[in-house]
Amino acid sequence: MMFLYFKQQVSPTISLFLVELEKSAEALQDYGVLVGKVSCKKEPVQTYCSEAKQQRSAFLFRGGKEFLSFSLDTVFDVNSIVAEVLFAILRDEVKYVHTDADLLAMEKAAKGKKDIVLGYVRSLGTQEHRSLMETAYVYGSKYQFILITGGPVLKQLGVNESSQQPQVWFLHCRVRSTLMTEVTSERCPVTRMRKALSTLNLHTFLQLLEAPLVSEVYVDPSSVPPPQFPYQLTPQVFLFSHSATEHLDLDTATTLAWRLRGLALLLLVHRQSLAVKTPDKYNAAYRLPEKSSEVKYVTLRSLDNVLELVTKQEKEEQEEEEDDHVDEEEGELDDEVAAAVYKNRDDFQDMGSVTQLTSDNFHTEVAQSSLTVVLFYVKWDAVSMAFLSSFIEVAERLEDSQVDNVQMGVVDCGEWTDLCAAQPGTAVPFQPITAFPSVLLVRPQQSAQHYGGLLTGEALHRFIMISCMDSPVLLSTKEEVSSFLQEVPHPDLASYRPDRALGLFRTESQTGLSVFTEAAKSLRGEILTGLLTDGLVEKWAAEYAVDPPAVLLFHSWRKLTHPSVVPVDSSSQELLAHIYAALLPPVPELTVENLPSLLSMGKALLLLFVGEEEDEIGRRQNQALVDELGGVVEQGGTRMERYLPCCIHLGHTPAAMSVLGSYLGSMPPLPALVVSHLPTGDEVYQYPPKTPILASSVLQWLQSVEDGKESPAGMLGGDSWPAAFEFYDFLKIMDMQDADPSPTEEEEEEAEEVNVQEHLLTKKMPEDRLDINTKFHSEL
Amino acid sequence: MEPNLLCFILFTLFGFVLTSFNEHHHNGTRHYNYCVLGAGPAGLQMGFFLSKARRDYIIFERNSGPGSFFNKYPRHRKLISINKIHTGRCNREFNLRHDWNSLLSDKPDLLFKRLSSEFYPPADAFPLYLSMYVRELGLKVQYGVDIGRIRSVQSATGRSYVLTDQHAADYTCSILLVATGLWVPQEVEFAGSDLVEGYESISTNPDDYKGQAVLILGKGNSAFETAQSILGRASRVHMLSSSPVRLAWQTHYVGDLRAVNNELLDTYQLKSLDGLVEAHLEDIFISKQEKSSRRSGVKDAEMRAKLYLGLRKYMQNSDERNGSNASREELQVHHIDNFPLRKPYDRVIRCLGFRFNFSIFDSSACPPHSENAKGRLPGVTAWYEGKNTPGLFLLGTASHSRDYRASAGGFVHGFRYTARAVHRLLEYRYHGNTWPSTRLVTTQLMSWILKRVGEASGPYQMFEMLGDVILLQGFHCEYIEEFLLQALPQFSSLSGHEVSSHGLIVVVMQYGKKKIDYLGRSRAETDWTRAWKSNFLHPVLYYYDSLPTEQDMKMRPRGWPLPRPKAIHHMVEDFLTEWDGPLSHIQPLRRFLEHCVQTDLRAFSAETCFHSALTHRKPPLFCQQGYLNEQGVQHYSQLRRRVYKAGPVPVEQVTAGTSTAANPAFPNYLAPPGASVSSALKLDL
């Protein structure tokens, strides 16, 4: 058997597939299938290499002949390749049933011959499907395998069809058990596999069902060795038998053993043996795997207790597994952030690495450190609490990497309300905090800087590390300049390449210097800024042919030898705008982090979606596409000003996967080019998928989009977000309750008046009844 | 808007004219923009606000020091306003909820606790505190000025008040703030009322009551305070007033009998020799029976005459017979042999409280008597201006008619907040400064409301009287603290804030209105869906799509502080008064706010926002105000993983060879959209 792919041209999707194909080779080798790819450039195999449509398929050959072809849609990763190939090989052996009648027919046919393994998977090509197929390959001759993906038969098996959980049942059709009542019925007894469906679990399960139903021993349970391979993960249950009731005890044990099938091994201990030392008060014992191999003795009243003992452990395991799913309790909270925080409410937050800032210590603490990063939070705000844990992690990380010139501090604004309100008298270097959480960077004798980045530990950490550098760094020697341009502020940032701005000024008094330093101040944390004056300036100016004052920008996305030049403007605001504009790559990559700033430009988005590349070829191809998009900008000139071309890398930004799906209704092959957020409307247009992405044709396509000649591929959603949940209308409920007759206050008052104490009879003034307020005298 | 503007211009002109007047002592009288009458707690509180706003003001005080009332009262020298120093919290605003003696200021340590650490502090500490307050804030108080006459004059520039002191010196004030308190003892006229001693003059030495039978008229705190002090000496103490005792812990009104004074209830119910009776004081008479002793001599002087109490309907001739002996037939026991008060008393003490001194006001400047409180208080508008006396405001205990028997406006811990509210409206009316407000992005509103209900002292003390008003404006909202609820129909003209078509929310603290067994089993509600049945203090939010009218206010349901709103939300009462439970308090509140602002207010992770920002014209509000403002939240799955794994954070996955343009490390450096989360956040510094 051979599973082959004929490689013609490599697109990102193909390169993705090729990697998976390679992985599957090893797995399929065990099943006697050779996996290979044929390079059509070297070996132009007839028909398979000549036709373009063959690119979208892989082929299974048996005895040199094509046995089956698979669309790449069905074989997309290692699991689906293995599952589908084995499924194809076993297609005569693995049956399919739809209704209960189908199953009944299968059972009848198997009766007395073979046991049936029935597997349910929600969809093909999954990990579970692969596990089932791998098991079927090994046990195919021993058991009858049935694979279902849905259908009415599920009901018979007691599965809710909305359940996504794959399951396996073992139908005991071969054995003729004299004990089971089911023997009279035409159905085979069923044992459900309780563990999650995986190859290993399935093997264990099947082997466990092969084990003898009841083993009889004549030694004390403590002397019985723990179960041996392959049952080492299986609990042992011991029941005790007396010689007087031997037969009865065996029956009981067998009944219980049936119920424990697939869960535990049952051993019957004969008490008449002298080796059995267990006191008579115990009637059962068990040994759980892993925990400790110690035997525990118990006195049980009913068989159900045994089941509980064994399944309790199962449940614990399941709970651990299910931990990642949303459970019922937090289902009550409909806010994803609040629910996550609520779920973790019992986790202890170790605040040891952050300074608790208060109205009393704020000034002294801030004065002690060259940089204090302050988080203002309130406990009832879920976003605050979510970010607080990230903030603490950043603090710990800074501590671990011995960054000791940064102090991380938190202010609980529920407690230090006057500090957060920047009340007069506190003389704090910030304005009242009105949004939570807020992060400020405070330096002694300076006004605070507001952190405006993403509320993640990663983004904050980066911002802090870059903020640690002076802004601008004063440079005077060649070594300083080259270290400024090439070194990262801290080894922790090694994987991050910041943008750099270098100001060139002939003298320290040259005009524009203050504009630059002011701009540098507001750029602190975002990019690195350096200032070069006097001596070396002329050399640099000559090298880059600029006339100081000027700012050289060294882009993170471009080689150091090609800085762009920004003139020094009259105001720092303008200079900042120029720097920002110059730092923007021609085709930026859109990420979760930078979407806000890109979207704020208010342009239509020309989005290129590319997949994850696995090798250098794929990377080069993606780069070529991005360059092509850059070409669109160049060729389009001013026409392209209303568009922001950018690429979305699905590998870097998995969150974008569903975006494409929402635009187009289905997942198109990659790369995909889409234009959205047009000023004219909510339509989303897709560049013809099969057309190569070339600058000129993209421009043409954009033109026809503008001319209304293209038909939209999808629509943007609206901008109204009504409340997702109905509010609890107290007014309505109060009205309903008010309609109920109940004693009013007035009646109660009257009752009181009748009870005038001590029979003191006095006249009541008539106006007393009018207003309770005036009725009673009191003093102030 | 138009009339307001006009008003503003008019008053600015007016103020200008006045200031110029001040510079020359016109006609020999002094002119002030603001005159405060009385250097008690309310007058000084107002003085602080005027001084902080740098207004031309003066505080007149006839005595030589502030708070002179407290030099004499309470007679037994123990304040019953709590001075709780140890709350376990550092939140200064929250701590004011449990500090009933301090005045408001911007000095965080100018608190009463500096002078006393007693939970029920000695009365002498209070004038000391007030002196310290005057000194540390440098308030302008003129002592020894006894204003005997107040009249108003109408001139071309408007109405002003002329005050005349004991030396016949005149002071002209454009705005008069009367904070004279209540100090005239309240008396009731009945036959024999001249035989009664007054609380203001009784002996406070318990030994003077040894073996005596004492009848106390009144069942308020001063009556019980007196009873308590003589309990161990007097032979029997009876208390008489028209209404049964009302217990402060049941009525939530601190003017009713406080448990600190209620020892007599114990001795009464355990059948010692004390007791309470009800009768209208107008219906009784007291007569003196001289001991008709044959051995008249030296002892007579020491032997007090016995006082008998009877009912007026049995009095034979109803003409004035004060102090004369009643005949045997007139006495009650003659008619009812088990009449409770049939035994004679050695003393009858009147403890009926105090009333406002109306006598100094000329008819041109006199506020009317209140309709409630037996007319003892001046009648004021919902914003504490005297009815018929524009420019004359009442502060402090004298202003209590608005919330008599309802809230804390007659007490220091309540009126310190109403004084602030009055000052704010003065600032707007006369100086064009709109009420201070906080501008919030709408997604921060819930957090802010939770902050206020968790700590705010004003609405907590002045429950059902002061409430926070939130003006909804779509993307933003304006949060105005502690507005006068009864003046809500006049909100715009008093505060200078306009109500937009998005409507408004009012946050009020309320007690339940149902009479329950306050110590019984089902006294507290814990289910948030039954929050409206909460009995203890809890926040209630009223949503209106437009400002209620005065008519709406008049027609409001009985017992409600505000008219029926478009939607209402009760936050269920909380044993710890902390309203921050995610399920019981926060989520129901969020859904209510969502209903009011008509949009989803949930928080989303950055990834969710990323998705909705790309697939929609606009993402949900939280994403617009958080994520698109570059304040995205970590995805919750990561969040949880991080919490479980306490280890170093994995370094961000960055592809090698970052020289490609497809570099994920693209800095977020463009100015945030809209660029205004809130002006306060833009730290231009």
Side-chain angles (χ1 to χ4, degrees):
Chain A
M1 290 285 231
M2 280 212 290
F3 184 65
L4 291 180
Y5 176 72
F6 297 90
K7 190 173 98 180
Q8 302 176 12
Q9 267 179 335
V10 178
S11 70
T13 9
I14 301 293
S15 66
L16 209 78
F17 167 73
L18 287 176
V19 173
E20 297 292 322
L21 185 69
E22 219 163 286
K23 286 188 205 157
S24 69
E26 204 179 325
L28 282 173
Q29 200 179 14
D30 298 342
Y31 304 101
V33 181
L34 269 177
V35 176
K37 65 177 174 191
V38 178
S39 173
C40 287
K41 271 184 204 144
K42 291 178 192 152
E43 297 282 341
V45 186
Q46 266 295 306
T47 67
Y48 292 109
C49 279
S50 47
E51 283 176 49
K53 67 168 186 188
Q54 309 288 34
Q55 265 202 100
R56 301 282 308 152
S57 301
F59 302 88
L60 187 64
F61 292 87
R62 184 149 71 177
K65 282 193 184 130
E66 184 184 323
F67 178 61
L68 202 65
S69 78
F70 300 87
S71 159
L72 292 197
D73 291 341
T74 57
V75 285
F76 45 87
D77 68 355
V78 58
N79 284 332
S80 56
I81 294 171
V82 175
E84 291 289 350
V85 169
L86 291 180
F87 197 22
I89 295 169
L90 299 170
R91 68 178 171 183
D92 293 334
E93 286 154 40
V94 176
K95 303 285 192 213
Y96 171 79
V97 295
H98 188 65
T99 63
D100 190 42
D102 298 345
L103 181 61
L104 187 59
M106 293 288 296
E107 282 179 48
K108 272 187 183 152
K111 197 130 240 185
K113 295 178 201 128
K114 267 184 177 181
D115 291 326
I116 297 176
V117 177
L118 174 60
Y120 161 61
V121 291
R122 183 83 178 165
S123 53
L124 297 180
T126 52
Q127 165 79 53
E128 289 80 15
H129 181 207
R130 175 182 167 182
S131 299
L132 261 176
M133 287 306 118
E134 287 181 313
T135 314
Y137 191 92
V138 177
Y139 291 94
S141 52
K142 195 163 181 192
Y143 307 115
Q144 176 61 56
F145 277 82
I146 302 177
L147 178 71
I148 56 173
T149 55
V153 66
L154 279 178
K155 213 177 213 172
Q156 166 70 22
L157 294 162
V159 176
N160 181 355
E161 211 167 335
S162 63
S163 156
Q164 304 271 351
Q165 234 39 25
Q167 293 210 13
V168 170
W169 295 265
F170 191 91
L171 285 74
H172 304 265
C173 297
R174 186 173 56 91
V175 223
R176 270 171 282 260
S177 166
T178 48
L179 275 168
M180 298 306 295
T181 46
E182 279 95 327
V183 82
T184 53
S185 86
E186 47 198 359
R187 305 309 293 251
C188 306
V190 179
T191 304
R192 183 170 69 86
M193 179 167 122
R194 292 181 184 242
K195 291 195 169 168
L197 176 47
S198 72
T199 312
L200 184 68
N201 283 348
L202 192 51
H203 274 282
T204 321
F205 176 68
L206 292 177
Q207 276 173 328
L208 194 54
L209 293 174
E210 288 296 299
L213 205 53
V214 179
S215 322
E216 298 180 52
V217 291
Y218 293 86
V219 293
D220 198 68
S222 57
S223 320
V224 175
Q228 302 301 308
F229 179 83
Y231 311 128
Q232 71 273 33
L233 292 177
T234 315
Q236 283 173 317
V237 174
F238 301 91
L239 292 184
F240 294 93
S241 162
H242 292 275
S243 49
T245 54
E246 208 170 321
H247 287 286
L248 215 61
D249 292 337
L250 185 62
D251 284 356
T252 315
T254 317
T255 313
L256 179 62
W258 268 104
R259 295 178 62 180
L260 289 176
R261 282 228 110 159
L263 273 180
L265 294 168
L266 199 124
L267 296 95
L268 191 64
V269 184
H270 289 273
R271 274 202 189 269
Q272 70 262 40
S273 161
L274 290 174
V276 179
K277 306 258 177 359
T278 314
D280 277 344
K281 61 174 176 173
Y282 299 116
N283 60 9
Y286 64 97
R287 175 190 271 146
L288 296 178
E290 285 169 349
K291 299 265 154 91
S292 70
S293 52
E294 204 184 316
V295 177
K296 295 207 175 84
Y297 297 90
V298 285
T299 312
L300 297 172
R301 298 238 160 66
S302 82
L303 295 184
D304 289 335
N305 293 14
V306 183
L307 266 175
E308 273 168 35
L309 279 178
V310 182
T311 47
K312 193 170 75 191
Q313 180 216 5
E314 293 265 322
K315 265 188 202 138
E316 275 169 22
E317 274 174 29
Q318 274 176 6
E319 266 164 30
E320 274 167 41
E321 283 165 23
E322 280 168 10
D323 231 17
D324 283 337
H325 303 286
V326 176
D327 55 45
E328 293 307 305
E329 183 188 27
E330 60 183 310
E332 288 186 43
L333 279 178
D334 53 31
D335 176 306
E336 61 176 330
V337 182
V341 170
Y342 187 66
K343 189 173 169 73
N344 293 329
R345 65 194 180 279
D346 296 330
D347 290 339
F348 171 70
Q349 294 243 15
D350 180 10
M351 305 273 266
S353 51
V354 294
T355 312
Q356 307 268 358
L357 296 174
T358 69
S359 309
D360 307 322
N361 72 4
F362 186 84
H363 291 281
T364 48
E365 288 292 343
V366 162
Q368 278 167 17
S369 183
S370 61
L371 172 61
T372 309
V373 184
V374 190
L375 168 66
F376 295 86
Y377 71 98
V378 286
K379 286 199 178 99
W380 51 85
D381 174 45
V383 179
S384 287
M385 293 318 280
F387 186 54
L388 178 63
S389 51
S390 307
F391 190 86
I392 291 172
E393 275 167 19
V394 172
E396 284 164 358
R397 195 170 156 193
L398 292 174
E399 214 169 62
D400 292 345
S401 49
Q402 262 121 46
V403 180
D404 46 13
N405 53 347
V406 179
Q407 174 176 231
M408 301 287 281
V410 293
V411 181
D412 177 357
C413 289
E415 202 61 41
W416 302 102
T417 184
D418 45 352
L419 178 63
C420 299
Q423 264 171 11
T426 45
V428 288
F430 54 85
Q431 299 285 306
I433 306 293
T434 58
F436 303 104
S438 283
V439 178
L440 296 184
L441 281 77
V442 187
R443 298 181 175 85
Q445 315 301 326
Q446 285 181 44
S447 47
Q449 182 190 2
H450 179 240
Y451 169 71
L454 213 55
L455 292 178
T456 62
E458 199 53 49
L460 178 68
H461 179 257
R462 197 165 59 223
F463 192 89
I464 292 172
M465 294 316 289
I466 297 179
S467 290
C468 281
M469 298 281 283
D470 283 342
S471 195
V473 186
L474 301 179
L475 308 165
S476 51
T477 67
K478 206 178 150 208
E479 289 70 37
E480 281 173 358
V481 175
S482 71
S483 115
F484 167 75
L485 288 179
Q486 278 162 22
E487 282 173 19
V488 285
H490 193 273
D492 272 12
L493 278 186
S495 58
Y496 176 72
R497 275 181 53 120
D499 294 300
R500 292 173 169 86
L502 180 62
L504 297 180
F505 293 87
R506 285 210 171 85
T507 63
E508 276 175 32
S509 55
Q510 190 166 16
T511 49
L513 188 70
S514 61
V515 170
F516 176 73
T517 40
E518 199 182 319
K521 218 180 212 176
S522 45
L523 286 169
R524 193 164 192 174
E526 292 176 20
I527 71 171
L528 295 173
T529 54
L531 174 63
L532 189 61
T533 52
D534 302 317
L536 285 169
V537 171
E538 293 306 334
K539 182 182 155 286
W540 279 76
E543 193 171 324
Y544 294 102
V546 294
D547 180 27
V551 179
L552 295 179
L553 289 180
F554 297 88
H555 306 263
S556 56
W557 44 272
R558 210 188 266 175
K559 290 212 174 66
L560 280 181
T561 45
H562 291 94
S564 46
V565 181
V566 176
V568 177
D569 298 87
S570 51
S571 80
S572 61
Q573 233 56 31
E574 282 173 71
L575 179 59
L576 279 175
H578 274 121
I579 291 177
Y580 284 143
L583 281 176
L584 191 67
V587 182
E589 183 188 335
L590 196 63
T591 62
V592 173
E593 194 165 350
N594 70 16
L595 174 72
S597 59
L598 294 181
L599 212 54
S600 71
M601 297 168 78
K603 295 183 179 182
L605 299 177
L606 183 59
L607 297 166
L608 174 69
F609 290 83
V610 298
E612 186 159 25
E613 59 283 86
E614 286 298 330
D615 52 9
E616 193 50 41
I617 305 163
R619 237 188 312 276
R620 245 180 268 146
Q621 277 171 340
N622 276 354
Q623 185 55 44
L625 284 169
V626 170
D627 291 345
E628 201 61 45
L629 214 54
V632 175
V633 181
E634 272 170 41
Q635 289 179 31
T638 53
R639 256 188 63 205
M640 284 304 293
E641 272 172 16
R642 52 203 124 126
Y643 295 95
L644 178 70
C646 38
C647 89
I648 296 187
H649 191 290
L650 296 184
H652 300 158
T653 313
M657 212 96 82
S658 55
V659 172
L660 202 49
S662 323
Y663 280 160
L664 307 175
S666 65
M667 193 68 185
L670 294 177
L673 186 64
V674 157
V675 64
S676 77
H677 289 73
L678 288 161
T680 46
D682 294 342
E683 292 83 5
V684 175
Y685 297 90
Q686 188 190 8
Y687 183 75
K690 289 184 185 99
T691 322
I693 295 174
L694 296 169
S696 52
S697 45
V698 170
L699 276 171
Q700 261 173 22
W701 168 68
L702 281 178
Q703 185 60 52
S704 65
V705 166
E706 283 173 30
D707 297 344
K709 287 178 191 154
E710 294 285 321
S711 51
M715 296 291 276
L716 287 181
D719 54 4
S720 81
W721 294 87
F725 297 88
E726 199 46 37
F727 85 117
Y728 190 80
D729 193 346
F730 277 108
L731 211 51
K732 206 161 92 189
I733 287 156
M734 289 157 81
D735 285 347
M736 268 155 54
Q737 296 263 332
D738 277 354
D740 289 347
S742 60
T744 64
E745 264 183 61
E746 226 138 4
E747 285 169 71
E748 284 170 32
E749 288 299 333
E750 220 126 29
E752 270 176 27
E753 284 172 15
V754 175
N755 274 340
V756 173
Q757 289 225 1
E758 309 273 350
H759 315 288
L760 188 74
L761 306 170
T762 74
K763 276 187 293 184
K764 290 276 170 188
M765 294 204 200
E767 66 263 36
D768 277 347
R769 282 166 193 273
L770 297 178
D771 185 359
I772 316 178
N773 280 351
T774 58
K775 191 173 76 189
F776 299 117
H777 141 84
S778 123
E779 63 182 317
L780 295 160
Chain B
M1 194 69 196
E2 221 42 34
N4 281 345
L5 194 71
L6 204 71
C7 255
F8 166 62
I9 295 169
L10 207 77
F11 282 114
T12 330
L13 282 174
F14 178 54
F16 177 72
V17 172
L18 270 168
T19 342
S20 51
F21 259 68
N22 287 339
E23 279 154 18
H24 336 274
H25 285 210
H26 196 69
N27 288 345
T29 69
R30 262 309 298 262
H31 290 259
Y32 294 98
N33 223 334
Y34 292 93
C35 295
V36 182
L37 215 51
L44 296 180
Q45 183 64 80
M46 181 51 95
F48 162 70
F49 292 119
L50 291 172
S51 134
K52 194 179 159 202
R54 300 176 180 282
R55 299 292 163 217
D56 170 40
Y57 78 99
I58 187 74
I59 304 171
F60 293 122
E61 170 59 50
R62 61 186 173 133
N63 291 295
S64 56
S68 54
F69 179 88
F70 294 92
N71 290 327
K72 184 172 183 185
Y73 301 108
R75 293 298 313 280
H76 300 89
R77 311 311 290 144
K78 186 167 82 169
L79 297 179
I80 54 172
S81 43
I82 61 174
N83 178 37
K84 190 168 177 58
I85 295 171
H86 307 286
T87 59
R89 295 280 303 270
C90 309
N91 186 321
R92 286 174 181 142
E93 177 70 19
F94 174 87
N95 286 347
L96 276 176
R97 286 181 172 184
H98 307 287
D99 174 355
W100 291 7
N101 297 293
S102 296
L103 296 183
L104 307 177
S105 74
D106 49 14
K107 288 198 184 344
D109 60 340
L110 191 48
L111 297 175
F112 186 76
K113 66 179 176 189
R114 265 164 63 183
L115 284 159
S116 173
S117 56
E118 305 265 323
F119 189 66
Y120 293 114
D124 292 330
F126 198 65
L128 289 178
Y129 171 69
L130 295 181
S131 304
M132 179 175 91
Y133 189 83
V134 171
R135 194 171 58 246
E136 295 199 8
L137 295 170
L139 302 182
K140 282 187 262 177
V141 188
Q142 208 169 320
Y143 294 105
V145 179
D146 190 358
I147 303 295
R149 185 157 172 264
I150 298 166
R151 64 198 154 89
S152 84
V153 285
Q154 200 73 32
S155 71
T157 49
R159 190 182 169 105
S160 59
Y161 291 88
V162 179
L163 281 49
T164 312
D165 72 5
Q166 73 270 40
H167 308 299
D170 278 358
Y171 306 87
T172 310
C173 316
S174 43
I175 296 128
L176 178 60
L177 301 155
V178 179
T180 50
L182 307 183
W183 55 270
V184 182
Q186 168 78 354
E187 292 173 37
V188 179
E189 282 296 315
F190 54 85
S193 57
D194 59 324
L195 298 169
V196 168
E197 296 171 75
Y199 173 72
E200 63 280 1
S201 58
I202 52 165
S203 159
T204 54
N205 180 2
D207 287 337
D208 292 345
Y209 299 84
K210 216 178 268 174
Q212 295 185 353
V214 179
L215 176 67
I216 296 174
L217 305 180
K219 286 192 203 115
N221 279 305
S222 66
F224 272 87
E225 166 202 313
T226 308
Q228 190 147 326
S229 90
I230 63 174
L231 215 49
R233 304 290 197 283
S235 63
R236 61 174 192 273
V237 181
H238 289 169
M239 304 185 75
L240 175 75
S241 73
S242 59
S243 56
V245 162
R246 292 168 54 113
L247 298 169
W249 58 267
Q250 290 185 337
T251 59
H252 313 298
Y253 176 69
V254 293
D256 288 329
L257 178 59
R258 300 281 306 284
V260 55
N261 279 334
N262 74 3
E263 281 172 29
L264 188 132
L265 293 183
D266 230 26
T267 56
Y268 171 39
Q269 292 295 333
L270 299 176
K271 269 310 179 207
S272 186
L273 291 171
D274 310 310
L276 305 175
V277 274
E278 278 76 50
H280 276 274
L281 297 183
E282 293 84 349
D283 296 346
I284 61 165
F285 72 87
I286 289 173
S287 64
K288 187 155 60 176
Q289 290 275 304
E290 298 294 349
K291 279 270 171 192
S292 44
S293 168
R294 264 172 239 153
R295 293 195 299 142
S296 64
V298 197
K299 275 193 175 176
D300 267 11
E302 287 171 17
M303 196 99 127
R304 287 182 75 104
K306 294 284 181 187
L307 301 172
Y308 284 87
L309 182 130
L311 291 187
R312 198 171 57 185
K313 58 182 172 184
Y314 298 112
M315 223 162 109
Q316 280 166 348
N317 25 16
S318 50
D319 57 317
E320 292 297 306
R321 290 206 330 188
N322 279 353
S324 65
N325 293 342
S327 69
R328 287 301 293 178
E329 295 80 54
E330 284 166 356
L331 293 182
Q332 220 56 39
V333 68
H334 180 80
H335 305 277
I336 306 163
D337 62 355
N338 65 349
F339 179 62
L341 305 180
R342 57 188 179 269
K343 290 183 85 174
Y345 295 95
D346 295 297
R347 286 166 187 262
V348 178
I349 301 172
R350 158 177 53 72
C351 300
L352 298 177
F354 303 93
R355 59 189 162 83
F356 184 69
N357 180 13
F358 286 92
S359 68
I360 56 171
F361 294 92
D362 183 274
S363 64
S364 64
C366 191
H369 288 262
S370 62
E371 285 158 19
N372 56 7
K374 298 191 169 135
R376 292 185 293 148
L377 298 166
V380 290
T381 61
W383 50 97
Y384 298 99
E385 199 163 15
K387 285 181 178 157
N388 316 322
T389 55
L392 185 153
F393 292 83
L394 285 130
L395 302 173
T397 310
S399 67
H400 194 29
S401 65
R402 290 308 306 189
D403 62 340
Y404 183 67
R405 286 216 160 288
S407 194
F411 311 91
V412 175
H413 64 280
F415 63 61
R416 60 189 182 199
Y417 300 105
T418 40
R420 179 155 71 187
V422 169
H423 175 254
R424 284 173 177 163
L425 81 90
L426 294 175
E427 279 293 305
Y428 176 62
R429 193 194 278 181
Y430 299 110
H431 311 283
N433 299 322
T434 51
W435 278 47
S437 65
T438 308
R439 190 167 168 76
L440 299 167
V441 286
T442 300
T443 46
Q444 287 289 331
L445 175 60
M446 182 171 73
S447 230
W448 206 257
I449 291 174
L450 289 168
K451 177 180 157 71
R452 287 287 295 169
V453 301
E455 68 179 27
S457 176
Y460 190 87
Q461 311 282 29
M462 285 298 286
F463 55 88
E464 295 167 37
M465 285 299 290
L466 293 178
D468 292 353
V469 177
I470 300 149
L471 303 177
L472 303 176
Q473 296 166 351
F475 205 71
H476 286 99
C477 52
E478 287 289 335
Y479 200 104
I480 294 121
E481 293 177 1
E482 297 170 21
F483 190 75
L484 300 159
L485 293 179
Q486 295 180 350
L488 193 64
Q490 290 82 20
F491 175 78
S492 290
S493 60
L494 292 178
S495 72
H497 288 278
E498 289 300 318
V499 177
S500 81
S501 60
H502 293 278
L504 71 158
I505 296 172
V506 186
V507 186
V508 185
M509 301 294 286
Q510 260 177 247
Y511 279 102
K513 291 289 171 285
K514 245 180 78 188
K515 287 216 169 102
I516 54 156
D517 178 356
Y518 292 94
L519 299 176
R521 283 202 182 280
S522 56
R523 62 185 178 277
E525 195 55 68
T526 50
D527 177 2
W528 73 264
T529 60
R530 293 164 53 83
W532 62 284
K533 293 194 161 174
S534 296
N535 293 308
F536 292 91
L537 199 61
H538 64 286
V540 185
L541 289 90
Y542 294 75
Y543 166 69
Y544 299 96
D545 53 1
S546 63
L547 213 51
T549 63
E550 215 155 335
Q551 186 64 17
D552 294 338
M553 199 71 197
K554 274 193 195 124
M555 305 294 285
R556 68 184 192 261
R558 192 186 144 95
W560 285 39
L562 287 173
R564 187 185 163 91
K566 277 269 172 279
I568 200 168
H569 180 70
H570 285 256
M571 292 177 75
V572 69
E573 61 189 342
D574 189 82
F575 187 61
L576 301 176
T577 63
E578 286 175 13
W579 288 275
D580 59 1
L583 287 166
S584 302
H585 300 129
I586 302 182
Q587 179 157 293
L589 172 64
R590 199 204 71 228
R591 290 186 182 173
F592 170 75
L593 293 177
E594 284 175 342
H595 174 79
C596 299
V597 303
Q598 299 279 302
T599 192
D600 195 337
L601 290 177
R602 282 179 296 170
F604 297 97
S605 68
E607 281 78 2
T608 311
C609 288
F610 174 84
H611 180 267
S612 50
L614 274 178
T615 54
H616 287 75
R617 239 330 127 186
K618 270 185 189 158
L621 199 59
F622 176 84
C623 295
Q624 291 178 43
Q625 300 184 334
Y627 171 68
L628 285 192
N629 240 313
E630 309 193 358
Q631 296 266 296
V633 196
Q634 191 125 37
H635 194 266
Y636 71 97
S637 61
Q638 287 167 301
L639 195 93
R640 284 169 41 185
R641 195 188 61 222
R642 275 152 182 272
V643 175
Y644 285 132
K645 276 197 227 160
V649 188
V651 176
E652 189 189 29
Q653 174 215 346
V654 176
T655 45
T658 41
S659 56
T660 60
N663 184 347
F666 172 76
N668 46 347
Y669 38 52
L670 290 150
S676 56
V677 193
S678 104
S679 54
L681 269 187
K682 287 199 314 181
L683 304 169
D684 38 1
L685 318 160

